[in-house]
Amino acid sequence: MSDDSTPKKATVGTEEDGPELVRFDRVTKRFGTHTVLDSLEMTVYSGKHVTLIGPSGSGKTTILRLLMTLLKPDEGTIKVGDAYLTHEEKNGKLVPAGEKHCREVRKNIGMVFQQFNLFPNMKVLRNITEAPVHVLGLDKGAAEERARGLLDLVGLTQHIDKYPSQLSGGQQQRVAIARALAMRPQVLLLDEVTSALDPELVAGVLDVLRDIAHTTDITMLIVTHEMNFARDISDCVMMFDQGRVIEFGTPEKIFSEPENDRTREFLSAVL
Amino acid sequence: MNNWSWEYVRDILPDLLQGLWITVQATLYGSLVAFALGLVWALLLRSPSRWVTWPVSIVVEFVRNTPLLVQLFFLFFVLPGWGLTFPPLATGVIGLGLHYSTYTAEVYRAGIDGVPEGQWEAATALSLPRRRTWTSVILPQAFRRVVPALGNYVIAMFKDTPMLAAITVAEMLFRANSIGATTFDYMEPITVVGVLFVVISYPTSLALRALERRLVR
Ligand SMILES: Nc1ncnc2c1ncn2[C@@H]1O[C@H](COP(=O)(O)OP(=O)(O)O)[C@@H](O)[C@H]1O
Ligand SMILES: [Mg+2]
């Protein structure tokens, strides 16, 4: 039996897998007096697929939003590759980073949202090319070629000239996946990307993600309630409760023989 | 009371139509000033620095809460004393534009606030620079939302243009008044002016409503 009261230091992968890519070092996040993440320590090596599970409100989204710099940690540091995400090293001291530094580090991270968040004023093609052109400095032709390749990957080539509002939720989410991948991020964050979809559209999106997980070396942090999907693609499943990792391990271990009572309770409720 | 004379109407109509053209010009140029300046206010008011938002909000509230006619008089009679002289129509355009920019600023603010938070988040997730986020994501979506409200202010401004008569802009009411002063017969000129206002503003508001329905889709 593991002890619930000590937060676990979660490490996914080893140096043999490649460089350390994401590192949370004693990260605490509070909203008012409510401590949502409590001194979280987590390391993910390059190319790993990590699924975060846990009851609603346990802090899963907060972790992804911290990584995407949509939130700032109250304590602790986050590193992506060799760079601190929200801090800069100046004269050997860590100071809060400026917007420019944040944007530079953040380029390595892509995110897909539950509500897609496509730009409704742009056609599918421009949704995908906008950032490569204006952030990476690709010329229009190169960005469009990249976009076409990605639309082929997500199976939406024929919808290239449509507006998001002309697509189904599942199609919109696949465009959003293509849009995130167009930046060639090292880390892809997926926050309940199928939760807003009609049930019959879920499989199409998950198939695309499976494909990406199996054919690319992109690192993924995934929050999902689709446990079969998690089992298929994860190297590691982390169980969160009240802002702490209470158990982590391979999907086989977590889903078949969880050690922690709360993990067991949670899984019996969702499986 | 004298009888309505169509002949009199026919005689004065060309002059009044010339006045209408001035009225339309004042409205169009005034709108352009109000649209541009209002956007400037709205963006400045979102500045993170109080040193920007305080002075701007004081100016905006001051202009919004003083009557247009007082502002027109100030521009027309006071500024020349400081060496700033503009022709009447230009003064009217500046006055209308400035006054209505304080309303359009509010319209833009609501339009910008109405863009869902997720759009900002998606722009951040793609590392889009601040300026690009505004110009390609936020403002295009905000503009769609504000078109109907801006249109209503254009119509309101149109109906405020007779105030420019007070600073000698030869728009419709000014001309009707001059005609009446020479013929001692105000009924036809003033009535025709009223009718011309309706003839322009009613169809415009119908067109606006149609546009609104299209944009909402
Ligand atoms: N912007 C916010 N303001 C206040 N509380 C928040 C905010 N975002 C999240 N929370 C709280 O933080 C906790 C963790 O939220 P979240 O990370 O979204 O959990 P999960 O994704 O695991 O359901 C919840 O209790 C939630 O109410
Ligand atoms: Mg969540």
Side-chain angles (χ1 to χ4, degrees):
Chain A
M1 280 289 124
S2 65
D3 181 1
D4 287 358
S5 61
T6 40
K8 290 221 170 210
K9 180 171 176 165
T11 304
V12 184
T14 66
E15 256 141 47
E16 284 161 28
D17 296 305
E20 198 178 279
L21 197 52
V22 173
R23 183 190 188 114
F24 279 65
D25 202 0
R26 272 166 289 149
V27 170
T28 295
K29 178 67 195 173
R30 302 185 192 90
F31 291 111
T33 56
H34 178 190
T35 302
V36 173
L37 288 184
D38 189 5
S39 201
L40 177 73
E41 300 208 64
M42 177 175 87
T43 304
V44 179
Y45 281 86
S46 188
K48 293 292 161 191
H49 307 147
V50 184
T51 298
L52 314 180
I53 62 170
S56 174
S58 58
K60 308 179 297 292
T61 294
T62 302
I63 291 174
L64 300 195
R65 292 173 66 85
L66 282 166
L67 253 176
M68 199 67 260
T69 69
L70 296 171
L71 293 172
K72 293 225 182 310
D74 294 306
E75 285 163 30
T77 56
I78 302 170
K79 259 181 138 176
V80 176
D82 291 330
Y84 286 99
L85 188 57
T86 55
H87 295 77
E88 279 176 286
E89 275 170 301
K90 278 203 179 130
N91 312 323
K93 274 177 137 186
L94 275 189
V95 297
E99 171 61 21
K100 210 175 145 209
H101 173 90
C102 285
R103 191 172 335 122
E104 210 49 45
V105 183
R106 175 161 79 202
K107 278 186 200 167
N108 300 312
I109 306 167
M111 183 160 184
V112 182
F113 300 87
Q114 187 174 342
Q115 300 294 340
F116 332 135
N117 295 352
L118 290 179
F119 303 131
N121 56 316
M122 302 178 195
K123 288 182 176 171
V124 165
L125 180 65
R126 213 183 122 208
N127 260 283
I128 303 173
T129 59
E130 180 71 11
V133 169
H134 294 282
V135 179
L136 303 181
L138 258 63
D139 70 54
K140 203 163 162 250
E144 290 187 355
E145 201 177 303
R146 189 181 281 192
R148 278 174 220 284
L150 287 165
L151 282 173
D152 187 41
L153 176 75
V154 301
L156 291 174
T157 306
Q158 71 275 30
H159 298 296
I160 190 161
D161 266 330
K162 291 193 178 157
Y163 282 97
S165 59
Q166 295 170 289
L167 302 179
S168 74
Q171 290 168 332
Q172 289 189 52
Q173 194 58 299
R174 285 185 275 155
V175 173
I177 292 167
R179 179 176 71 171
L181 291 177
M183 292 294 284
R184 305 246 166 107
Q186 292 177 282
V187 188
L188 185 63
L189 310 176
L190 303 160
D191 191 5
E192 299 197 31
V193 297
T194 56
S195 297
L197 298 179
D198 292 334
E200 74 273 17
L201 302 176
V202 169
V205 172
L206 294 183
D207 284 344
V208 165
L209 291 174
R210 264 194 201 96
D211 196 21
I212 293 163
H214 291 142
T215 58
T216 69
D217 53 9
I218 197 167
T219 306
M220 291 180 164
L221 263 64
I222 305 152
V223 176
T224 184
H225 297 299
E226 302 287 338
M227 293 302 163
N228 288 326
F229 169 71
R231 196 191 302 259
D232 288 351
I233 69 154
S234 309
D235 297 296
C236 176
V237 176
M238 283 187 196
M239 171 71 193
F240 278 82
D241 195 32
Q242 299 181 350
R244 294 170 169 196
V245 182
I246 57 168
E247 183 168 6
F248 68 98
T250 61
E252 293 76 26
K253 173 177 170 287
I254 299 293
F255 291 133
S256 315
E257 28 188 274
E259 286 175 15
N260 191 293
D261 291 341
R262 264 182 280 171
T263 312
R264 219 168 292 145
E265 265 169 54
F266 173 75
L267 287 174
S268 67
V270 297
L271 281 178
Chain B
M1 216 180 101
N2 43 15
N3 287 324
W4 180 267
S5 160
W6 286 108
E7 201 173 333
Y8 182 31
V9 169
R10 207 178 312 126
D11 287 345
I12 61 174
L13 197 56
D15 194 25
L16 293 181
L17 286 177
Q18 274 188 3
L20 176 62
W21 174 230
I22 304 274
T23 297
V24 168
Q25 278 180 304
T27 309
L28 291 182
Y29 292 132
S31 301
L32 290 183
V33 172
F35 293 167
L37 206 51
L39 183 58
V40 171
W41 301 143
L43 293 178
L44 288 176
L45 286 171
R46 297 181 71 94
S47 160
S49 163
R50 276 198 197 172
W51 296 106
V52 177
T53 55
W54 273 45
V56 172
S57 64
I58 288 171
V59 169
V60 168
E61 287 305 325
F62 185 82
V63 173
R64 194 187 349 238
N65 289 292
T66 44
L68 174 57
L69 196 55
V70 175
Q71 290 162 12
L72 290 172
F73 274 29
F74 187 88
L75 293 173
F76 195 67
F77 296 115
V78 180
L79 284 192
W82 300 349
L84 279 171
T85 311
F86 300 102
L89 181 58
T91 307
V93 166
I94 294 168
L96 284 171
L98 179 65
H99 189 77
Y100 275 89
S101 73
T102 63
Y103 297 116
T104 56
E106 185 57 28
V107 171
Y108 286 126
R109 188 197 59 74
I112 291 165
D113 287 351
V115 176
E117 194 56 32
Q119 294 291 305
W120 290 97
E121 294 179 355
T124 302
L126 291 166
S127 299
L128 282 183
R130 208 73 185 149
R131 178 180 291 266
R132 189 74 202 167
T133 302
W134 276 106
T135 57
S136 78
V137 178
I138 305 301
L139 290 179
Q141 293 182 54
F143 281 136
R144 259 177 100 84
R145 291 158 195 273
V146 301
V147 166
L150 289 183
N152 286 332
Y153 279 121
V154 171
I155 293 174
M157 186 190 286
F158 178 64
K159 290 188 291 180
D160 267 354
T161 52
M163 280 193 220
L164 302 193
I167 57 166
T168 75
V169 175
E171 48 67 68
M172 280 196 287
L173 188 67
F174 184 88
R175 285 166 195 254
N177 194 34
S178 310
I179 292 165
T182 43
T183 61
F184 302 106
D185 194 346
Y186 285 90
M187 183 169 72
E188 284 87 349
I190 301 294
T191 309
V192 170
V193 167
V195 170
L196 286 175
F197 268 105
V198 174
V199 164
I200 301 276
S201 62
Y202 187 60
T204 307
S205 62
L206 288 186
L208 239 144
R209 246 174 278 167
L211 180 66
E212 186 174 351
R213 272 194 299 273
R214 280 193 49 184
L215 286 174
V216 162
R217 278 189 313 164

